Amino acid sequence: MTARISRAQRTRSIVLHLICVAVGALIVVPVWFGVLGGFKDNGQLSTNPLGWPDPWVGNYVDILANGLFWRQLGNSVLIAVSSTVIVVGAAAMAAFVFARYAFRGREFLATLFAIGLMFPFAVAILPLFILLRGMGLLDNPLGVILPQAAFGLPITIIILRQFFRTIPAEVEEAAVLDGCSSFGFFWRVLLPMARPALATVSVLAIVTSWNNFMLPLVVFSDQSWWTLPVGVQAFQGQYADDTARVLAYVVLSMIPALGFYAVAERQLIGGLTGSVKG
């Protein structure tokens, strides 16, 4: 009986390992193809798609020497950071009120924000364009930053509210006894304790902004304000016959977001699990 259980466990372990290897291959192989493809030419891509380049082609160097790429990178960073600061700051204050104060209509307002998760962004693009045009925010970074922050509020408030609820009331009572005001408790005690949750929503906001294609495409007709996703599309149209160069451009456009995610990964996992340390 014990031998059967042991064999069943080994079989299950082997199957799970094979599934993990298969899933990993589905992720790694396309990335490998893209990174190495940027060092090749089209001929090598067709004859040796997954092998080492021979010879190595300087597509990455050519793109990095192009000032347009750095301009688009700067635009993406500006919009992503600004959107994240606004959405996290506003959502943290709203979540603090929803989590720590009881007032009439609190659950109704919280439900309204939750309903925002079911509102597709694509449905709002036409009225949003008309609104931004009326406000004079077309070809203005605020025309992308403010809508992104607004659409990021629901999920950010939900995550932060749940995290703030896990902090014991005794912590707040001790802070009040020490002379902390409500804002003092929020700023000096609650936010430092909520670093994992803040890191989580910050990563989500930055990655969402970084990958946003539709809104910058609609708002910016001036190419000097294009972000990297829009720049990738334009670059692909310009170099439609040079797939290797396009792969290099796509890989370079992903590196900043991937780097930020790698740095914040531990805090991201801690925020998602709702852990509180201290």
Side-chain angles (χ1 to χ4, degrees):
M1 187 69 178
T2 304
R4 289 182 182 178
I5 295 175
S6 179
R7 281 198 298 268
Q9 290 177 342
R10 284 199 298 269
T11 303
R12 186 181 306 166
S13 177
I14 292 173
V15 171
L16 289 176
H17 278 83
L18 291 176
I19 293 174
C20 291
V21 169
V23 173
L26 289 175
I27 297 172
V28 171
V29 171
V31 174
W32 179 267
F33 173 79
V35 172
L36 288 184
F39 290 104
K40 301 176 181 179
D41 55 30
N42 286 343
Q44 295 182 58
L45 280 178
S46 60
T47 59
N48 185 24
L50 296 178
W52 293 102
D54 185 24
W56 294 72
V57 181
N59 291 320
Y60 290 104
V61 176
D62 294 340
I63 294 171
L64 292 175
N66 188 346
L68 183 61
F69 172 81
W70 293 104
R71 174 74 181 184
Q72 294 169 0
L73 176 63
N75 293 339
S76 292
V77 171
L78 171 66
I79 291 173
V81 172
S82 301
S83 300
T84 301
V85 170
I86 293 174
V87 70
V88 173
M93 290 185 285
F96 171 64
V97 174
F98 286 144
R100 313 299 294 192
Y101 291 91
F103 56 90
R104 182 178 299 177
R106 181 184 68 173
E107 296 304 320
F108 173 75
L109 291 175
T111 302
L112 285 181
F113 280 105
I115 292 175
L117 292 174
M118 299 180 287
F119 190 72
F121 177 79
V123 174
I125 195 65
L126 180 58
L128 185 59
F129 174 80
I130 296 173
L131 178 63
L132 294 175
R133 183 178 61 185
M135 298 174 64
L137 292 179
L138 296 181
D139 283 327
N140 187 321
L142 288 177
V144 176
I145 293 171
L146 296 179
Q148 282 188 166
F151 277 89
L153 280 175
I155 185 63
T156 308
I157 289 177
I158 290 172
I159 293 175
L160 291 181
R161 184 193 186 198
Q162 188 62 32
F163 197 94
F164 290 166
R165 278 179 162 180
T166 63
I167 296 177
E170 291 79 4
V171 176
E172 185 173 2
E173 294 172 359
V176 172
L177 290 176
D178 288 340
C180 260
S181 61
S182 295
F183 183 78
F185 168 72
F186 168 73
W187 183 258
R188 298 177 183 176
V189 179
L190 196 63
L191 289 185
M193 294 182 69
R195 284 178 184 172
L198 294 175
T200 298
V201 295
S202 297
V203 171
L204 293 176
I206 286 180
V207 172
T208 300
S209 174
W210 198 269
N211 294 330
N212 195 341
F213 169 75
M214 184 178 295
L215 187 59
L217 180 66
V218 170
V219 173
F220 297 137
S221 59
D222 184 359
Q223 297 185 12
S224 63
W225 280 113
W226 280 0
T227 57
L228 278 175
V230 181
V232 166
Q233 187 211 34
F235 192 86
Q236 183 178 4
Q238 183 179 358
Y239 296 95
D241 297 331
D242 194 348
T243 306
R245 187 181 290 265
V246 173
L247 286 175
Y249 202 96
V250 171
V251 170
L252 287 175
S253 68
M254 295 189 318
I255 288 176
L258 291 175
F260 177 80
Y261 175 82
V263 171
E265 179 184 6
R266 183 173 301 176
Q267 296 292 334
L268 174 64
I269 294 174
L272 289 174
T273 56
S275 61
V276 180
K277 299 179 181 179

